Amino acid sequence: MKKLRLIFAVLLCSIFSLELNAQTQETDSLENLLQKHQKKDTIKVNLLNEVAYKLYLIDFDKSFEYANEAFALANKLNFIKGKAESLRFIGVHYYMLAFYIKSLEYYQKALKLEEQLGNKNGISRCYNNIGLIFRSQGNYSKALEYSLQSLKYAKETDDKLVVSVGLNNIGIIYNLKGNYLKALEYYNKSLKVSTTINLKSEIAESYIKIGDIYTIQNNYPKALEYLQKSLKISIETGYKSMENKSYAALGRLYLKQKNSKKAYIYSKKAYLMAKKTGEFGLQKEASEILAKSCEFSGLYKEAYQYYVVFKTINDSLYNEKNLRKITGLEYKYKYEKEKQAAELEQHKKDIVLAKKANKQLIIRNSFIGGFILMLLLALIVFRSLTQKRKANLILAMQKQDIEEKNAELSQQKEEIQSQAEKLQTANNNLQKLNATKDKFFSIIAHDLKSPFNTMLGFSEILNDNFDKYDIKEQKKLFGIVHSGIQNTYKLLEDLLLWSRSQKGIIDFNPQKVKLYELSNDIVELLTQSAESKTINIINKIPKDIYVHADKEMLSTIIRNLISNAIKFTQKEGTVEIGIQTNHGLSEHKTYVKDNGIGIPKKIQSDIFDVGESTSTKGTEGEIGTGLGLILCKEFVDKHGGKIWVESEVGKGSEFIFTLPVI
């Protein structure tokens, strides 16, 4: 019996080594061909790129060296296809190191060359890689957009490798958005495609993702089955990156089962391998699992050390500067592409205009000659008429002087009466305005006093009992004080903006504004806030609508209305911005509506009134300043428009305002 077990073990090890040797032999074979091919031509560029591709899952540092060598030679030969491929592989290297900005620069350069060649296969792969960067930064809408574009091109060229990868990436996006059934559907589609072409790396990737879904759904036996399959394939093929991902996934599974010992073992393997290969994304995942498993085991010092590692890497990957730069690079690429198209169109127009100009020159010269003759005749007639008119004019002027003096006396009398009435009306309005502002400042004083009382109370508790509280309780109290300071600062900011508006010192510069672009920028700005409550923001404004408005004021109006909609909408809710076009009229109706908690009828008439306090907490306890809607009304009034609300408690609210049409 023992001999049979020994034979079985030897056979199993032999199978594993054969798989790994096959992968290594294929790479070694390509490297031998590369060494034999001394001629520096396009064949060598293709060999360098192929070796770089084969190595990126096994030794991605070496892969990076081959890709750089390929690019240098392709650039020298002006071999565009070779340049595009090597740029993409260099981008992959920086992506694995989590240098997303640098990675995106190389992907966009590669995409530009692939589009120049019309190579749909290459375009598909570039779109896929750019989608991965946006996914890593948490911009799931952009990630989904690029992944779907990649899938479209891959299907057109029947590139099953990219189809499998694309389906897997779409599954990951739905997973991150919390739609696990949809994610599982795409993972299984990806697995089916990769199995038909025996693509081991993607089969292993699909097993990991399916295992993760079953972990989330608490189906632990199924999760373990798929993750062990993935680990087996990764070890057999020598895909270190995939092996690392498998260990991290097993760590997550055992942590969910509260098996902190096994969670620690697998996540430690993942962490050490990721540290060795320089994969920051996997280091972040593994360090987070390690911190939690240590905490469950009572190893608080070690848990704290791994949490510091996780926080440091996470902050470096998601800092605001990186997000803005990535978005900026995307817009720069689109701008350059549109600019080239516009220049080509303009060149065509210039040719047509030159032909028209020659024709118009002949017509203009003929017209000038005829006009000079007519002018001479007109001067002769005019001279004779002028003499007659002079006499009539003197008489008419004398009569007009008398009539004007009578009218002037009558007008002066009317103006005196009108000014007296205006002064009385202004005096009455001023008294009402002063009473309203007194009431408003009383409300503001109360709203300022309340957070200050809270901050003073909690700071006094901290001051008197600081040593009595542990770090968690101290952080909680500091968090309350910090939240109070933030809310007070936001109130003061809104109050300052309202004060400047009242004094008339805010510049009002109406211009032609493309409403879709402005509103879409605001939607992207508020996406993170909405996703924290799983709220979907829908932009239904047509892309060809323009309005005549001050861009900054209009941005403040829309931002306040969408922020309020998110604040008063429950989880899984929907916020929509759109426009009601009025053909033939001089204004558009822009609306922001939600399916949130709604506004009671009794306070709907007061929400835009400076003298009334209508600020309430949101569905998650969010605190507002009470000035947002007042500022909205001030700025809409500046444009000569109107703003109102239609709402029903429990069914949601719709805020509507009008703007002049271009």
Side-chain angles (χ1 to χ4, degrees):
M1 191 66 180
K2 287 182 178 178
K3 287 182 178 180
L4 285 171
R5 287 179 182 172
L6 184 60
I7 292 166
F8 178 77
V10 170
L11 285 170
L12 191 62
C13 291
S14 300
I15 292 165
F16 284 359
S17 62
L18 283 170
E19 286 268 351
L20 184 55
N21 287 337
Q23 183 71 24
T24 309
Q25 284 170 8
E26 186 179 359
T27 307
D28 290 342
S29 175
L30 285 170
E31 286 183 307
N32 288 333
L33 279 173
L34 191 59
Q35 288 175 0
K36 289 177 183 177
H37 193 88
Q38 296 297 319
K39 191 175 180 182
K40 294 188 176 182
D41 54 9
T42 57
I43 295 171
K44 184 160 187 175
V45 174
N46 289 333
L47 281 169
L48 286 164
N49 279 328
E50 193 170 354
V51 174
Y53 171 72
K54 294 290 182 185
L55 283 172
Y56 93 94
L57 282 172
I58 301 168
D59 186 347
F60 75 98
D61 282 333
K62 201 170 180 182
S63 170
F64 179 62
E65 291 173 10
Y66 280 117
N68 273 300
E69 188 179 347
F71 176 74
L73 182 56
N75 196 38
K76 189 176 180 181
L77 298 170
N78 197 26
F79 179 32
I80 296 173
K81 187 175 183 296
K83 281 166 69 176
E85 285 186 358
S86 55
L87 284 168
R88 194 172 76 251
F89 293 141
I90 294 169
V92 169
H93 176 80
Y94 285 119
Y95 173 79
M96 298 286 277
L97 293 173
F99 296 157
Y100 297 131
I101 295 167
K102 208 163 185 66
S103 176
L104 182 59
E105 288 175 356
Y106 279 96
Y107 288 157
Q108 287 183 338
K109 287 176 184 177
L111 178 59
K112 194 172 181 180
L113 293 175
E114 297 289 12
E115 286 176 337
Q116 185 180 329
L117 292 169
N119 181 13
K120 290 184 178 181
N121 187 279
I123 293 168
S124 171
R125 291 166 188 244
C126 289
Y127 275 134
N128 176 71
N129 293 353
I130 293 170
L132 292 178
I133 291 176
F134 280 107
R135 190 187 78 200
S136 299
Q137 295 293 299
N139 191 339
Y140 303 135
S141 57
K142 278 284 179 189
L144 187 60
E145 176 187 333
Y146 278 100
S147 295
L148 289 170
Q149 280 284 84
S150 170
L151 190 60
K152 174 191 166 190
Y153 280 104
K155 285 180 177 178
E156 286 177 5
T157 57
D158 197 28
D159 187 346
K160 287 187 169 57
L161 167 61
V162 181
V163 169
S164 174
V165 172
L167 289 167
N168 193 46
N169 288 336
I170 294 168
I172 293 170
I173 294 165
Y174 280 117
N175 186 3
L176 291 168
K177 292 175 80 173
N179 192 339
Y180 304 124
L181 290 177
K182 200 79 174 170
L184 193 59
E185 176 188 338
Y186 276 92
Y187 290 153
N188 280 311
K189 284 181 180 179
S190 173
L191 180 60
K192 186 177 179 181
V193 175
S194 54
T195 303
T196 59
I197 58 173
N198 196 28
L199 184 62
K200 293 292 181 73
S201 61
E202 278 308 300
I203 292 170
E205 181 78 18
S206 295
Y207 282 152
I208 291 171
K209 299 308 175 189
I210 294 169
D212 280 341
I213 293 294
Y214 284 127
T215 298
I216 292 166
Q217 295 176 337
N218 299 326
N219 191 343
Y220 303 130
K222 272 282 187 185
L224 185 60
E225 176 189 342
Y226 278 94
L227 295 178
Q228 285 177 337
K229 284 181 182 179
S230 170
L231 183 59
K232 181 185 174 187
I233 292 172
S234 302
I235 293 170
E236 288 173 0
T237 55
Y239 294 149
K240 297 296 182 186
S241 179
M242 206 62 68
E243 182 183 350
N244 197 356
K245 288 180 183 179
S246 299
Y247 286 136
L250 283 163
R252 283 193 295 274
L253 168 62
Y254 286 118
L255 184 66
K256 189 90 185 290
Q257 290 179 294
K258 295 185 169 51
N259 188 338
S260 57
K261 186 176 179 181
K262 284 192 175 181
Y264 179 89
I265 291 168
Y266 283 104
S267 55
K268 187 68 178 282
K269 284 184 180 181
Y271 177 74
L272 292 173
M273 285 182 71
K275 198 172 181 183
K276 186 177 179 181
T277 58
E279 293 173 89
F280 283 97
L282 282 167
Q283 282 184 56
K284 185 197 82 169
E285 287 181 38
S287 59
E288 185 182 16
I289 300 165
L290 278 168
K292 290 178 179 178
S293 60
C294 287
E295 184 183 357
F296 286 152
S297 301
L299 303 172
Y300 299 115
K301 185 177 179 181
E302 194 173 354
Y304 173 74
Q305 290 171 349
Y306 283 116
Y307 178 76
V308 169
V309 173
F310 163 73
K311 193 74 173 66
T312 303
I313 297 171
N314 190 61
D315 289 348
S316 69
L317 296 180
Y318 288 91
N319 69 70
E320 186 180 355
K321 186 178 178 183
N322 279 354
L323 289 169
R324 286 180 178 172
K325 194 163 183 182
I326 285 170
T327 305
L329 285 169
E330 184 205 19
Y331 289 146
K332 182 181 176 183
Y333 168 75
K334 287 184 177 178
Y335 167 75
E336 287 177 354
K337 189 175 178 182
E338 289 170 1
K339 183 181 175 184
Q340 289 175 357
E343 285 175 351
L344 182 63
E345 185 65 26
Q346 187 60 44
H347 180 67
K348 292 178 181 177
K349 288 180 180 178
D350 288 344
I351 295 170
V352 175
L353 287 172
K355 291 179 180 179
K356 285 183 179 179
N358 288 331
K359 187 177 180 181
Q360 287 173 352
L361 184 63
I362 297 167
I363 296 168
R364 186 188 68 184
N365 290 339
S366 302
F367 176 76
I368 291 170
F371 179 75
I372 291 169
L373 288 172
M374 289 177 66
L375 186 62
L376 288 171
L377 289 170
L379 286 170
I380 294 167
V381 173
F382 177 75
R383 190 176 178 183
S384 63
L385 289 172
T386 302
Q387 300 297 326
K388 292 179 181 179
R389 284 180 180 173
K390 277 184 179 178
N392 292 331
L393 187 61
I394 292 167
L395 292 171
M397 287 176 69
Q398 289 174 348
K399 182 182 178 183
Q400 187 178 352
D401 284 342
I402 295 166
E403 289 175 349
E404 283 178 354
K405 285 177 182 178
N406 289 332
E408 201 174 303
L409 290 170
S410 177
Q411 187 178 354
Q412 286 175 356
K413 182 180 177 183
E414 289 176 0
E415 284 178 355
I416 291 167
Q417 290 176 343
S418 175
Q419 285 174 358
E421 290 173 359
K422 285 179 181 178
L423 283 170
Q424 185 60 43
T425 303
N427 185 48
N428 293 338
N429 289 338
L430 186 59
Q431 288 177 355
K432 289 180 181 177
L433 185 61
N434 285 335
T436 301
K437 285 189 176 181
D438 287 344
K439 189 175 180 183
F440 172 69
F441 285 122
S442 173
I443 293 165
I444 291 299
H446 176 270
D447 287 348
L448 281 171
K449 185 177 179 183
S450 179
F452 273 116
N453 283 337
T454 302
M455 288 185 285
L456 285 169
F458 279 103
S459 60
E460 185 177 353
I461 291 169
L462 278 168
N463 186 53
D464 294 344
N465 303 290
F466 186 81
D467 295 330
K468 294 179 182 179
Y469 294 117
D470 57 26
I471 292 173
K472 187 175 180 181
E473 289 173 325
Q474 289 172 5
K475 281 186 177 179
K476 182 179 179 182
L477 290 170
F478 276 126
I480 293 168
V481 173
H482 178 68
S483 177
I485 291 168
Q486 276 189 321
N487 291 331
T488 306
Y489 181 73
K490 181 65 173 72
L491 175 60
L492 288 173
E493 271 192 328
D494 286 352
L495 186 58
L496 179 60
L497 186 59
W498 177 80
S499 173
R500 290 175 64 208
S501 173
Q502 292 296 298
K503 290 178 181 178
I505 58 175
I506 294 179
D507 291 335
F508 179 61
N509 298 313
Q511 57 184 291
K512 185 179 181 181
V513 178
K514 196 167 187 180
L515 191 55
Y516 174 80
E517 288 183 357
L518 184 139
S519 60
N520 207 46
D521 287 344
I522 294 167
V523 169
E524 288 192 6
L525 181 68
L526 296 174
T527 294
Q528 189 171 359
S529 174
E531 286 182 348
S532 70
K533 294 177 72 174
T534 329
I535 290 171
N536 186 26
I537 306 177
I538 302 169
N539 188 348
K540 286 194 173 180
I541 294 175
K543 293 184 178 180
D544 59 347
I545 294 293
Y546 290 86
V547 293
H548 189 65
D550 182 289
K551 195 171 183 180
E552 294 303 320
M553 289 187 181
L554 181 55
S555 180
T556 299
I557 294 165
I558 294 173
R559 186 172 64 253
N560 270 307
L561 293 179
I562 295 177
S563 293
N564 276 359
I566 294 169
K567 176 181 172 184
F568 294 107
T569 300
Q570 301 94 332
K571 288 186 176 181
E572 308 291 340
T574 301
V575 174
E576 181 182 314
I577 179 170
I579 195 162
Q580 300 171 7
T581 53
N582 294 316
H583 299 291
L585 298 180
S586 61
E587 64 181 18
H588 284 315
K589 290 181 181 178
T590 305
Y591 68 84
V592 175
K593 66 180 179 180
D594 59 68
N595 59 355
I597 60 177
I599 303 169
K601 289 283 184 185
K602 62 182 180 181
I603 66 168
Q604 285 183 26
S605 58
D606 297 331
I607 58 176
F608 300 109
D609 192 347
V610 75
E612 299 295 333
S613 175
T614 58
S615 178
T616 56
K617 291 185 178 181
T619 58
E620 298 291 317
E622 304 98 317
I623 298 172
T625 65
L627 279 172
L629 291 175
I630 293 170
L631 284 171
C632 288
K633 187 176 188 309
E634 291 278 351
F635 290 164
V636 170
D637 289 346
K638 282 268 189 184
H639 289 80
K642 295 178 181 178
I643 184 167
W644 67 95
V645 63
E646 296 173 2
S647 180
E648 189 174 341
V649 174
K651 292 187 178 180
S653 304
E654 181 175 8
F655 284 83
I656 306 161
F657 63 93
T658 60
L659 286 173
V661 176
I662 291 294

